[in-house]
Amino acid sequence: MSPWVPFNHDGDRSRSFSENDNMDVITSQTLAKWGRYTSRDFPKPPSPAQAVVESVRKGRKRDSLPCHQFLGVESVVQRVLITVGKNECLRDDVVRVVDQLRKNHPLVRFILQGDGVHNDPYLDLLAGEREGKLMVVIMNWFAEVFRN
């Protein structure tokens, strides 16, 4: 599913926040509120990921963030699947993370779902749609992972 990146959405917001605020199932205001709540207890000593968060808070643009937080990820996971909906507030930030992740991992599969919103496959299941296109892709990806 779409990774929640970054936690802090106050101030420096991606264009997709304003473009999709009235289309996504989670508004940019809700993401900002949840982000403040979730990140309030982040540890103070900066890990590589925290250093990125701090540099964003200090005004550094997301586009220029280093990809060092993903160094070594290929030794932890064999492959990565990331999906995001075209109509998600998080879309632009997820695309940036995919670009950074691909610099450090050879098997990153990314799917931009045409008219998708946040957690679209979950919503399909709740609505009784068992054969949604993205759900089939996700299930096939998991089957391939477990076969190998």
Side-chain angles (χ1 to χ4, degrees):
M1 301 304 132
S2 309
W4 183 12
V5 291
F7 283 117
N8 183 351
H9 296 283
D10 293 333
D12 182 26
R13 293 186 181 183
S14 297
R15 189 180 69 207
S16 58
F17 275 79
S18 57
E19 283 179 6
N20 296 327
D21 200 33
N22 65 343
M23 294 190 286
D24 201 353
V25 295
I26 300 178
T27 66
S28 60
Q29 183 179 10
T30 300
L31 286 166
K33 183 177 179 179
W34 288 355
R36 284 188 301 273
Y37 177 78
T38 304
S39 64
R40 75 182 189 281
D41 294 327
F42 278 178
K44 294 302 175 205
S47 65
Q50 272 304 103
V52 171
V53 170
E54 287 305 313
S55 61
V56 168
R57 286 186 181 147
K58 292 177 182 174
R60 194 165 171 201
K61 295 292 181 202
R62 284 191 188 99
D63 291 346
S64 65
L65 295 179
C67 60
H68 66 271
Q69 69 265 33
F70 297 115
L71 284 176
V73 70
E74 72 283 354
S75 66
V76 179
V77 294
Q78 291 180 350
R79 63 187 81 193
V80 179
L81 171 64
I82 297 177
T83 67
V84 70
K86 180 182 172 190
N87 296 329
E88 282 195 54
C89 291
L90 297 171
R91 181 196 65 219
D92 294 346
D93 293 311
V94 170
V95 169
R96 272 196 269 299
V97 165
V98 168
D99 291 343
Q100 291 176 352
L101 189 55
R102 282 182 168 160
K103 293 176 184 176
N104 292 294
H105 200 297
L107 295 176
V108 175
R109 182 167 181 198
F110 173 62
I111 298 170
L112 178 64
Q113 185 187 12
D115 290 326
V117 295
H118 191 68
N119 286 342
D120 204 278
Y122 292 137
L123 298 174
D124 286 347
L125 283 175
L126 290 172
E129 294 276 335
R130 304 246 183 255
E131 300 296 321
K133 188 185 289 188
L134 186 55
M135 182 55 70
V136 170
V137 170
I138 292 170
M139 296 307 291
N140 288 338
W141 186 85
F142 273 111
E144 184 181 322
V145 167
F146 288 114
R147 270 192 299 257
N148 298 325

